[in-house]
Amino acid sequence: MTEAATRLTIRRPDDWHVHLRDGAVLAGVVPFTARQFGRAIVMPNLSPPMTDCAGVAAYRQRIMAALPEGSDFTPLMTLYLTDSTDPDEVARGFADGTFVAAKLYPAHATTGSAHGVTDIANIRAVLERMAAIGMPLLVHGEVTDAHVDIFDREAVFIERTLAPLVRDLPELKVVFEHVTTREAVQFVESCGSNVAATITPQHLQINRNAMLVGGIRPHMYCLPVAKREVHRLALRQAACSGSARFFLGTDSAPHAQSLKEAACGCAGIFNAPFALESYVQVFDEEGALDKFEGFASLNGPAFYGLPVNPGTVTLERGECRVPETIDANGTAIVPFHAGEVLGWRLLA
Ligand code: DOR
Ligand code: ZN
């Protein structure tokens, strides 16, 4: 790979963290993910949340029905953990392939987490079972304690919850989702190979200034919230390091424009339409285009114990114009990088 490379061809990548929603908007957003990725880990924080095998299986059917004609995209489903999740239900759905992982939302940490776990002690039996069967736990890593500053909630979660969990259940496979801090990077690096992390394009691209300087910019708001520049730099280094413990997870989280541009705007950045173009720009800027395939296409499958996708995708240097809004089957949504011109485009 020379610096002047104008094309980059990599194994077809996957998105290890996406929100596809449900109902009419599902058909409006899923084509963007299916165009870019072979598979995606689909988050279960719907209303009501996907808390049992039957619900997850039915949701998977709705996703399949919403795919564009001829798409070979594969959704990888997840189960939403609550205080009363039954370990047998978890083991059954994992064994029969209904879902590949379970998601831990601390109750009230983010969008759609009201039914989440109030104390990790309440799901101890579930976690022990997951460790025994090799099923990954996907973690939204923020404390919800009102006394903790929102910019510190991830670092405090490591101390109070994640480090003790990994110590107590050293066999458990854990994905620390959408990491946003230097502390999270250092934590993952300090663990064994059963602990990994996803990183979003926005946390590689923006710091908290993007959200707050010159006016409040609701389309730069997601959870965990973007942090200081020092953290963004640590994330860029981790993503571009070649470490197999970090991989692509967009956390693409579409919300209607009207619900973002409001007195109390929803958390979530819709980055699915130009996710690869956004990520590759970061690797290019870091002089690490040779590390992009590992991050986007190889590290995730290795962690989940899945084969790498067949086929490739090609990105090419050149103008890529991001529209101001996208019509997602009748819902206007403002995408990440709206109105910008990116320096790479994905070839059809
Ligand atoms: O910003 C976010 N939006 N963070 C999450 O954890 C959830 C997501 C959503 O579902 O909108
Ligand atoms: Zn998410």
Side-chain angles (χ1 to χ4, degrees):
M1 179 62 51
T2 65
E3 255 202 68
T6 56
R7 281 191 170 200
L8 181 66
T9 296
I10 58 170
R11 279 289 190 142
R12 191 167 179 206
D14 301 299
D15 182 353
W16 299 97
H17 185 137
V18 73
H19 300 268
L20 295 179
R21 310 306 191 201
D22 208 343
V25 82
L26 166 62
V29 300
V30 75
F32 294 107
T33 294
R35 185 179 88 90
Q36 297 227 323
F37 300 106
R39 297 167 290 197
I41 287 278
V42 181
M43 288 297 154
N45 61 331
L46 305 179
S47 186
M50 296 291 117
T51 55
D52 60 24
C53 294
V56 173
Y59 180 36
R60 186 180 195 284
Q61 286 310 312
R62 294 195 294 279
I63 295 169
M64 297 307 290
L67 284 172
E69 191 78 21
S71 172
D72 62 354
F73 171 79
T74 302
L76 303 172
M77 308 306 291
T78 59
L79 180 73
Y80 183 112
L81 298 177
T82 72
D83 284 343
S84 54
T85 300
D86 175 1
D88 291 334
E89 181 84 354
V90 175
R92 187 162 67 84
F94 183 65
D96 71 14
T98 303
F99 39 74
V100 302
K103 179 73 185 278
L104 167 60
Y105 287 104
H108 306 292
T110 186
T111 311
S113 64
H115 302 273
V117 174
T118 58
D119 182 339
I120 195 159
N122 295 339
I123 56 165
R124 179 71 190 195
V126 169
L127 298 178
E128 283 172 2
R129 182 74 74 88
M130 288 174 64
I133 62 181
M135 177 176 172
L137 176 72
L138 316 184
V139 181
H140 183 108
E142 288 189 285
V143 294
T144 56
D145 183 337
H147 299 295
V148 179
D149 189 279
I150 193 159
F151 291 101
D152 298 331
R153 288 183 176 196
E154 183 174 279
V156 173
F157 183 86
I158 298 169
E159 239 168 73
R160 289 191 189 167
T161 306
L162 198 52
L165 173 66
V166 169
R167 203 179 317 122
D168 292 353
L169 288 172
E171 305 297 302
L172 182 64
K173 289 176 95 164
V174 176
V175 183
F176 193 173
E177 297 291 342
H178 42 53
V179 290
T180 63
T181 57
R182 182 174 52 185
E183 287 86 346
V185 167
Q186 288 169 349
F187 175 74
V188 171
E189 286 171 342
S190 76
C191 293
S193 61
N194 58 314
V195 178
T198 54
I199 307 181
T200 75
Q202 60 266 24
H203 293 110
L204 296 170
Q205 292 270 7
I206 64 167
N207 63 33
R208 62 193 195 174
N209 282 6
M211 197 173 51
L212 295 169
V213 172
I216 290 184
R217 299 175 192 279
H219 299 293
M220 299 297 187
Y221 173 60
C222 66
L223 288 170
V225 70
K227 309 293 194 299
R228 287 177 180 274
E229 179 66 357
V230 62
H231 299 292
R232 186 181 76 105
L233 296 177
L235 297 169
R236 287 170 77 104
Q237 203 168 38
C240 297
S241 67
S243 164
R245 315 276 293 289
F246 297 96
F247 43 82
L248 188 160
T250 63
D251 198 18
S252 180
H255 290 281
Q257 181 172 13
S258 57
L259 297 177
K260 294 281 293 173
E261 298 172 8
C264 183
C266 296
I269 294 179
F270 180 45
N271 58 33
F274 300 94
L276 288 173
E277 294 89 336
S278 182
Y279 278 117
V280 76
Q281 182 167 299
V282 171
F283 281 73
D284 191 11
E285 288 164 2
E286 295 291 327
L289 286 176
D290 62 323
K291 301 293 196 302
F292 189 51
E293 183 176 47
F295 178 79
S297 314
L298 308 179
N299 301 346
F303 183 87
Y304 276 86
L306 294 169
V308 167
N309 286 319
T312 60
V313 299
T314 298
L315 289 139
E316 184 180 68
R317 256 182 229 283
E319 282 197 356
C320 174
R321 286 182 184 279
V322 179
E324 295 285 355
T325 59
I326 284 176
D327 173 7
N329 199 21
T331 300
I333 306 178
V334 176
F336 187 42
H337 296 298
E340 292 177 34
V341 180
L342 301 176
W344 288 80
R345 56 178 175 244
L346 178 65
L347 299 186

